Amino acid sequence: MIELPEARLNLLLRRVDWRFLLPATRSRRAVCFADAMLCEALALVADRVLHAAPTPVAECDLAVLSDPDPATLRTACAALQPGGICYVEFSRPGRGGASRLAARLRRAGLEPIGSYVAWRSPRRTSVWIPLESPEAIGYFHRRVPARTRMRRPAAWVARVAYLRATRAGLAGTLSVVARKPGPGRAEPALLDPAGRAGLSLMLLTGGPRSVSKIAGLVFAPGEPQPALLVKVARTEPAARGIAHEAEVLEGVERCCRGGLDGVPRVAFRIEQDSLVALGETALPGVPLLGTLSRRNYRAVAGQGTDWLIRLALCSRRADPEAASRVVREELAAFERNYGRVLEPGELARTHRILTSLGTVPAGCEHRDFSPWNVFVGPKGRLAVFDWESSEPAGLPALDLPYFLVYLGAALRGPISTAAVLEAARESLESATSAGAVYRECQARYAEATGVDPDRFPALRLLMWVIHSRAEHRRLAADAAGDPPEAALRGSLFLRLWRAELARLG
């Protein structure tokens, strides 16, 4: 991967997210008939990119086009090897829409294999909707993007109208995947890993950064709910996270004797040079953030606490060195990452507090048990996603304060740095309702797991230290190198750690 600042890398990689709809996610030799940005982005996922002129003959495995005329389509077809793939964007498809465009491709010598609507556009897409799949289209219409119930009907109407207009060629952009006749696989490997025909794939390409994963929902014919969730890596760090998630999920299934309710199960893995993907059971539900209110805040906090108790109990293991090992490793990383902006004595005080933990039972930590990774399923049961940051040999009670603080921040509206800092402060104040809920959940967790309540302040301090490591990686990616001191000093988790340290005296 070319070394670029995070903002530019993220922009370019998202411009070629459509590659996960193709039989191969990386090209050996591609030809580009599009604007400079799309060609630059293509260079990140192709070994070699040729431009429109001079055009090779039958040498390329991929051709990428934007609003081509009939002559350009014929030129692209001639440049492809037999079985080669053609990706075409039509920003002005005109009346007739997808069917008219398919006819144009056939006249150029290409076989259409799929057409998609990019919601809202290929440059800032969050969903790729397959137009040949009524199951995926129906699911897309039912998904609720609006947070408040008052906005849901309007959002549904807007989705239906936009998708119909785009499919008819009257609005938006249509993307079509075609292939040149000849030997080669006509369906993407991640779409059909078991070799079963008739499946369709809807890609979810949200997330704020280049390391954010692609999520693919796989639909079987006639089934309104997705059968599988497929996670796909855009970058090498994301690939490592997906591989780690597979190991964690398999470990939870083993140690919890057949799995834990609300944890996906691994269905398959694909680890190739150009594709790293993980197939999981698709757990039904809606995002917790879409259901949270002040009225149900206490009940939701208790429900999350109970789920974490079950995880702690079924994954518990005897490891007397767990606490000392975690403290040693995390403090070393903390000093390495933030040492140049720490005040004298802060690290020594942190070390004294954390070494007082002694022996605590080891177990699996989710390490991102936050409201955006928790869904509410049928009968109110929780489904928990995104296990790539998890630590199988972690410590208890670290996920709990993280969840409760971010749950309190979510009550204030969009989660921001100021909201998290305020929620962290309120959670420890006895006079606030958030503080009362925090103490209640902490007491419930301590009683059920046997963790000494006196250890909770030190564990909470350790929790902020642990999460500061991931934030440092984000800051380093933004700077394409060592983060500037101003960015380190403004780090959210450094500020949370410092406030916690001051409170502990």
Side-chain angles (χ1 to χ4, degrees):
M1 186 66 66
I2 300 172
E3 289 294 331
L4 293 170
E6 166 62 20
R8 183 64 179 173
L9 178 62
N10 188 38
L11 181 68
L12 292 176
L13 284 177
R14 289 172 185 277
R15 189 64 183 88
V16 287
D17 277 344
W18 45 260
R19 71 191 187 274
F20 296 106
L21 302 169
L22 309 184
T25 59
R26 187 166 185 89
S27 167
R28 292 184 296 274
R29 188 181 180 94
V31 61
C32 187
F33 300 83
D35 59 49
M37 180 183 176
L38 182 49
C39 293
E40 181 185 358
L42 184 60
L44 296 178
V45 296
D47 296 335
R48 186 179 180 187
V49 176
L50 307 175
H51 296 276
T55 304
V57 176
E59 293 183 0
C60 297
D61 56 12
L62 175 64
V64 177
L65 303 93
S66 178
D67 290 322
D69 56 28
T72 304
L73 277 174
R74 290 192 297 270
T75 301
C77 182
L80 287 172
Q81 303 167 351
I85 296 298
C86 186
Y87 169 78
V88 194
E89 290 178 356
F90 295 96
S91 61
R92 297 179 297 276
R95 289 189 178 276
S99 58
R100 177 172 173 265
L101 298 179
R104 285 182 58 187
L105 291 168
R106 290 189 183 95
R107 286 195 297 270
L110 297 163
E111 297 176 350
I113 59 176
S115 54
Y116 301 85
V117 171
W119 174 269
R120 300 266 185 176
S121 75
R123 290 176 180 265
R124 54 187 185 94
T125 302
S126 59
V127 187
W128 292 83
I129 308 150
L131 291 178
E132 290 79 17
S133 171
E135 296 82 11
I137 292 173
Y139 184 83
F140 173 75
H141 289 331
R142 292 191 303 274
R143 293 182 70 245
V144 180
R147 178 165 181 166
T148 63
R149 292 185 178 181
M150 292 298 293
R151 291 170 57 191
R152 291 178 185 175
W156 183 85
V157 170
R159 282 180 164 216
V160 172
Y162 180 86
L163 195 58
R164 288 180 177 175
T166 305
R167 187 173 190 175
L170 303 177
T173 298
L174 280 173
S175 298
V176 181
V177 179
R179 67 191 296 270
K180 184 173 181 176
R185 182 180 171 90
E187 298 292 338
L190 72 92
L191 171 65
D192 196 6
R196 294 167 296 183
L199 302 181
S200 57
L201 179 72
M202 181 167 68
L203 287 184
L204 310 179
T205 57
R209 307 181 70 84
S210 63
V211 295
S212 300
K213 301 172 297 300
I214 302 287
L217 296 177
V218 179
F219 293 85
E223 296 295 332
Q225 296 295 324
L228 290 173
L229 170 67
V230 182
K231 294 188 174 184
V232 194
R234 280 194 185 95
T235 62
E236 185 179 342
R240 293 195 295 269
I242 287 176
H244 180 69
E245 176 164 345
E247 295 170 1
V248 171
L249 292 178
E250 290 169 345
V252 170
E253 185 169 0
R254 286 193 303 270
C255 69
C256 294
R257 298 182 181 180
L260 179 64
D261 187 40
V263 179
R265 295 190 177 187
V266 175
F268 67 86
R269 294 197 221 184
I270 300 173
E271 295 187 31
Q272 302 170 351
D273 292 339
S274 60
L275 177 65
V276 175
L278 169 64
E280 304 175 358
T281 52
L283 302 179
V286 297
L288 175 61
L289 284 175
T291 66
L292 181 65
S293 66
R294 294 194 177 275
R295 180 176 297 178
N296 68 4
Y297 164 65
R298 180 171 176 267
V300 169
Q303 192 176 12
T305 302
D306 290 339
W307 194 94
L308 288 172
I309 288 170
R310 292 194 292 273
L311 175 64
L313 293 178
C314 77
S315 67
R316 176 173 289 185
R317 65 185 70 186
D319 186 355
E321 302 299 322
S324 61
R325 182 182 64 253
V326 172
V327 168
R328 182 174 61 253
E329 293 174 355
E330 295 301 333
L331 281 182
F334 187 64
E335 182 177 16
R336 184 169 60 249
N337 293 336
Y338 295 92
R340 54 194 169 112
V341 298
L342 299 182
E343 301 297 331
E346 286 182 323
L347 194 64
R349 288 172 57 205
T350 301
H351 185 271
R352 286 197 298 272
I353 292 170
L354 296 185
T355 51
S356 68
L357 280 171
T359 300
V360 294
C364 182
E365 294 174 46
H366 185 278
R367 285 205 176 171
D368 198 8
F369 191 83
S370 47
W372 53 87
N373 283 334
V374 179
F375 278 41
V376 181
K379 299 181 180 180
R381 294 173 180 168
L382 299 186
V384 183
F385 299 97
D386 288 348
W387 291 75
E388 68 270 13
S389 301
S390 302
E391 175 50 61
L395 301 181
L398 295 182
D399 286 326
L400 182 61
Y402 186 81
F403 172 68
L404 294 174
V405 166
Y406 273 91
L407 195 68
L411 279 178
R412 292 165 167 78
I415 296 177
S416 63
T417 295
V420 174
L421 291 169
E422 181 65 15
R425 181 188 62 79
E426 280 196 359
S427 68
L428 298 177
E429 291 186 354
S430 57
T432 66
S433 58
V437 170
Y438 188 90
R439 291 193 306 276
E440 177 184 324
C441 293
Q442 185 174 268
R444 184 188 301 187
Y445 188 96
E447 181 179 2
T449 62
V451 176
D452 185 348
D454 291 340
R455 308 279 179 87
F456 282 176
L459 287 167
R460 176 166 160 143
L461 181 68
L462 175 61
M463 180 262 297
W464 298 132
V465 169
I466 288 173
H467 283 279
S468 73
R469 190 193 288 218
E471 186 172 23
H472 183 271
R473 285 196 297 269
R474 292 193 293 270
L475 295 175
D478 290 342
D482 290 335
E485 286 196 9
L488 293 178
R489 293 185 187 280
S491 158
L492 170 61
F493 290 105
L494 186 74
R495 295 167 69 181
L496 289 164
W497 159 81
R498 188 163 274 152
E500 200 74 26
L501 190 63
R503 189 188 67 83
L504 292 175

